[in-house]
Amino acid sequence: MAIVHNAYTVATTATLIAEIPAGNPKTSVYIYNNDNNQIYIGDSTVTTSGADIGLHIAKTTVFEIELNASDKLYAISAAGTAANAVVTLFSKVTG
């Protein structure tokens, strides 16, 4: 088992922030928004408003979500974030 820790710059288009390997058990992913801009999480079609609006994560907030094997999680920001302002942490069992 390995801990995966990554930092991202989230743009105004969907940015992949977590990908759970095939064969991994249900996995808790922690997301920290260390930026003054709000981010939204969801699938590859996530937006900041409208029908595909994602789940909102406010600035300086840690959020936990459980993902299944082969799931991909994306984030987007209406204004973009500072470099490496969004951090993810999870356990990678396989792959």
Side-chain angles (χ1 to χ4, degrees):
M1 177 175 7
I3 297 295
V4 177
H5 169 258
N6 292 307
Y8 299 91
T9 304
V10 174
T12 56
T13 57
T15 303
L16 181 65
I17 62 168
E19 183 172 3
I20 306 303
N24 231 55
K26 186 174 281 191
T27 303
S28 291
V29 177
Y30 297 90
I31 305 146
Y32 175 56
N33 180 14
N34 188 28
D35 195 79
N36 286 328
N37 294 308
Q38 303 173 64
I39 63 170
Y40 298 83
I41 61 171
D43 65 13
S44 61
T45 65
V46 66
T47 63
T48 59
S49 63
D52 291 322
I53 190 169
L55 183 64
H56 168 253
I57 300 178
K59 63 181 181 176
T60 64
T61 299
V62 175
F63 183 81
E64 177 186 6
I65 187 170
E66 287 191 348
L67 299 179
N68 294 309
S70 301
D71 281 351
K72 295 179 181 180
L73 183 65
Y74 292 81
I76 191 169
S77 174
T81 66
N84 302 317
V86 176
V87 179
T88 60
L89 178 72
F90 63 93
S91 178
K92 181 176 170 182
V93 177
T94 64

